[in-house]
Every structure is written in C-alpha cells, then in structure tokens.
Amino acid sequence: MTEAQTANTSSEETPMDLEAKQKRKKLLKIFALIVIAAAILYAIWTLIFGNTVETDNAYVGAETAEITSMVSGQVAEVKVSDTQQVKKGDILAVIDNSDAKIALAQAQAELAKARRQYSQSSANSSSLSSQILVSADDINSAKAQVAQAEVAYTQTQQEFARRQQLSATGAISKEEFSKAQSALNNAKASVDVAKAALAQAESKRKAAQSNLDANEALIKGTSQDSTPDVQVAQAKVEQALLDLERTEIKAPLDGVVARRSIQVGQRIAPGTSLMKIVPVSALYVDANFKESQLQNVKVGQKATLTSDLYGKKVKYHGTVIGFSGGTGSAFALIPAQNATGNWIKVVQRLPVRIKLDPKELAEHPLRVGLSMTAEVDTSSAK
C-alpha cells in the first residue's frame, strides 16, 4: 500500500473514531454519575437509617399478678370474670368467713383470760405480802412461847433435882417423885412443841416469800398490756383479724382479669391459684434481636414500635431497659445440643426489653402476647 492509500484510509476512519470516543465519554459520564448518586444514597442511608436496628420478632409482655388465697375455706362469692377491668383494692372473691369469726372469738376470749390472769397475779402479790406480815407476827409469838416453855422447863428441872435428892434420903414418897418426873417430861415436851410451832411459822413465811418472789417474777417490770401472756394472746387476736380480713380477696393492682379458675362453692386451700391480673397500663415489649444487631444497642436508647393490631399508623415510643440473661434457646426446655458432627451455625436471638409509654398505652391499649415491630435508635443515649 502506498502512502497515498494510507492517508486516504486514515481520513475515512476518523469520523467513526470520533463518534465512538464521544459515546465512550458519555457512557463514562453516566457511569460516574451513577457511582456518585450511589455514594450519596449510601451516605444518606448511613446517616439516617444506619443508626437503627429493627426486628419484627417482638411481643408484648407484662409482670402479671398471681392471685392466690391466704386462708382455707369455701368460696362464697366470685365478683369478677375473665376480661373484666378492675382497680386496685376491688374485691375479687369472698371466702366463707364463719370459721374465721369463730377463731377470732376464741382469740379474743384467750386475750381476756390472759388479762384476768395478770390482774389475779397482781392481787396475789398483795395477798402474799400480807401473809408474810402475818407470818412475821406468828414467828414472834412462837418465839415467845418457846422462851416461856424453856423457862418453865428450867424451873421444872430445878424442882426435879430437889425432889431427887429428897427421894434419895426417903424424905418424900415414890409417888411424889414420879409426879416430879412426869412434870419434867411435860415441860420438855412443851419446849419441843413450842420449837416445832416456831419452825412451822418460819416455814410458812418462807413459803409465802417464795410464792411472792415467783409471782413477782411473772409481773415485775410489766403492765397488763406488756406481759408476755397478754402479748401472745394479742398476737393471736391480730392474726385472727387478719385471717378474717383475708376472706375478702382484693386486687393488688389495676388491670384485667385473666385465667379465672374458681367457682362458687369450691373448697380452696392456702396458696391455691385463683386468677391473674394483667396490668395493661404497665406493659413492655421483649424484642428478639439477632446477635449481630446488638453491638451498638445500649440501655437507655429510644425505640419506636408498631403493633400488628393497629398497623403502622399508630406508633409507640419506648426505652431500652435491659437485656435477657441468655438467648431463647438457652432457656428452652430442651436446649440445642451443638456438640455434634453435623452442626450448623444458627444466628441466635437475644430478648431486649423495651418499656412502653403509659400515656400511649392508655390511648391505644395492648394485650399480652401481641406481635410488635421494634426499631431501636442506636445513636441515642450512648
């Protein structure tokens, strides 16, 4: 090919090359615009939506109150039914109080008896003190009788000694000597009797003193209301009053009655489960987030929730208040056994508890077990 031919060929291909170059430039510009738009969209998504985690595996829960009986008896009346709204202090059921009234009367009688025994013990102290004083007079009288008997015995001894000397000389008869001997023996016996009377009087005084000490030990330093026997009886009366009061079973909080299981005429024992009270104004949500979502979730962060009951038009606002101590599978009745040869990794979920706003619950009530969708803003309360 000559130089002229080459020049002609080059001049023929130039417009096509220019057109192709222009197309390539346009495509590159469009691609660049697409990349820039994607980067912008990614940045916007990261700024707006990248600080949130969401799950639809969430359910409404509540700390329900288990209503049980504190006393035994027959159910006389049931005042509520399932789904009924109750207030704190409302009477839920009434147990026949006949036995409780009898027990109260017995306790009150025991209290009156204990008070009377205290009064009697106080009176006994006064009586025993008087006995001690009388015993002291008896002792003084017995001592005087002993002294008198001893004087008489001494005189009789002297008289007997003279009679004995006279009898040795034959100056008196044997009959007179025998009389002197008998008089001496009688005088000795009188001394013994007087001493025995003195010992008896002293024993009576000691017995009276011991009884006084024992009686004083029961009531010393106490009043009628503070003595142990009266306090025990008073405690029994208070227990009986409490048991009588407990025959009326009352609601411990505001809520809705659920799972009522008692009927009129049923005999119940202490601890029998009667019903549940669900506090619908103090509900929470357990949101089961994937473990890969929880890196930035903290206690105190704000959450937005929607319910399948009302749809997305009704939004609830809550606060993360805690994390469960383990995953759902960890607390299952039959935990998963992963130590096997055919193990497959499964992403676990951890329950995160979210407290709901009571005002929003009042406007749009929920019930335990309803499904929710929860979205936690991980940029809040860090």
Side-chain angles (χ1 to χ4, degrees):
M1 182 179 293
T2 62
E3 293 181 359
Q5 292 176 339
T6 304
N8 290 333
T9 303
S10 300
S11 62
E12 291 177 357
E13 295 178 353
T14 298
M16 295 178 62
D17 293 339
L18 291 174
E19 186 177 356
K21 288 180 179 180
Q22 289 177 353
K23 289 182 178 180
R24 285 197 297 270
K25 287 181 179 180
K26 288 181 180 180
L27 290 174
L28 289 172
K29 288 180 180 179
I30 293 173
F31 179 74
L33 290 174
I34 292 174
V35 171
I36 293 172
I40 293 173
L41 291 174
Y42 178 77
I44 293 173
W45 183 88
T46 302
L47 291 174
I48 298 177
F49 302 103
N51 291 325
T52 61
V53 291
E54 182 178 349
T55 182
D56 60 357
N57 189 349
Y59 304 94
V60 179
E63 299 292 343
T64 59
E66 185 81 21
I67 307 302
T68 60
S69 174
M70 298 294 290
V71 295
S72 62
Q74 188 178 32
V75 178
E77 186 178 2
V78 181
K79 293 181 174 290
V80 296
S81 58
D82 279 343
T83 73
Q84 183 174 337
Q85 188 87 24
V86 295
K87 296 292 185 181
K88 181 179 180 180
D90 288 351
I91 297 176
L92 305 176
V94 178
I95 300 174
D96 183 19
N97 59 10
S98 300
D99 293 338
K101 287 181 177 179
I102 293 173
L104 176 60
Q106 290 177 342
Q108 290 173 337
E110 290 180 0
L111 176 60
K113 181 180 179 181
R115 292 180 182 276
R116 184 170 299 178
Q117 286 177 343
Y118 180 85
S119 300
Q120 183 178 359
S121 297
S122 299
N124 286 341
S125 293
S126 299
S127 176
L128 291 171
S129 297
S130 300
Q131 289 181 14
I132 291 174
L133 294 176
V134 172
S135 297
D137 294 338
D138 291 342
I139 290 173
N140 292 331
S141 176
K143 287 181 177 179
Q145 290 178 0
V146 168
Q148 183 179 1
E150 288 178 344
V151 170
Y153 177 64
T154 301
Q155 292 176 350
T156 304
Q157 279 183 321
Q158 294 174 353
E159 183 66 23
F160 176 74
R162 288 195 297 270
R163 296 289 182 182
Q164 190 175 22
Q165 291 176 356
L166 293 174
S167 176
T169 58
I172 60 174
S173 64
K174 292 182 179 181
E175 182 179 358
E176 189 175 354
F177 179 75
S178 297
K179 290 180 180 181
Q181 181 70 45
S182 298
L184 179 61
N185 293 336
N186 291 333
K188 181 65 171 65
S190 297
V191 171
D192 293 338
V193 170
K195 288 183 177 181
L198 175 60
Q200 185 177 8
E202 290 177 344
S203 297
K204 288 182 178 180
R205 180 177 180 179
K206 289 180 180 179
Q209 185 65 50
S210 297
N211 292 333
L212 178 62
D213 293 341
N215 200 71
E216 286 293 322
L218 294 175
I219 63 174
K220 185 177 181 180
T222 62
S223 62
Q224 189 179 59
D225 293 330
S226 64
T227 186
D229 291 341
V230 173
Q231 287 183 337
V232 170
Q234 182 65 44
K236 290 182 178 179
V237 170
E238 293 174 359
Q239 181 64 54
L241 286 170
L242 185 60
D243 290 341
L244 179 60
E245 181 181 351
R246 284 173 173 170
T247 57
E248 290 186 345
I249 301 172
K250 300 179 180 179
L253 44 78
D254 297 348
V256 174
V257 177
R259 298 181 64 183
R260 199 199 82 175
S261 60
I262 60 167
Q263 302 295 335
V264 173
Q266 180 180 348
R267 179 79 180 181
I268 60 176
T272 301
S273 179
L274 309 179
M275 65 190 75
K276 292 182 181 291
I277 302 295
V278 181
V280 293
S281 61
L283 301 177
Y284 58 80
V285 170
D286 281 334
N288 301 301
F289 285 99
K290 295 178 181 179
E291 54 188 322
S292 57
Q293 294 178 296
L294 296 175
Q295 180 178 1
N296 296 320
V297 178
K298 309 292 182 184
V299 173
Q301 292 175 346
K302 302 301 180 182
T304 304
L305 305 99
T306 57
S307 169
D308 292 353
L309 177 64
Y310 300 107
K312 294 184 178 180
K313 62 181 181 179
V314 176
K315 292 186 180 295
Y316 296 89
H317 298 86
T319 305
V320 176
I321 60 174
F323 299 84
S324 175
T327 64
S329 62
F331 293 131
L333 293 177
I334 304 177
Q337 178 54 262
N338 294 326
T340 59
N342 58 349
W343 171 73
I344 298 175
K345 182 177 180 180
V346 178
V347 177
Q348 300 297 314
R349 291 181 179 269
L350 185 72
V352 177
R353 183 155 296 184
I354 301 172
K355 181 181 179 181
L356 298 177
D357 186 351
K359 294 182 179 179
E360 295 177 346
L361 284 173
E363 294 175 0
H364 298 91
L366 295 173
R367 291 296 184 267
V368 174
L370 292 179
S371 299
M372 302 286 286
T373 298
E375 182 182 278
V376 176
D377 182 3
T378 57
S379 64
S380 62
K382 284 188 177 179

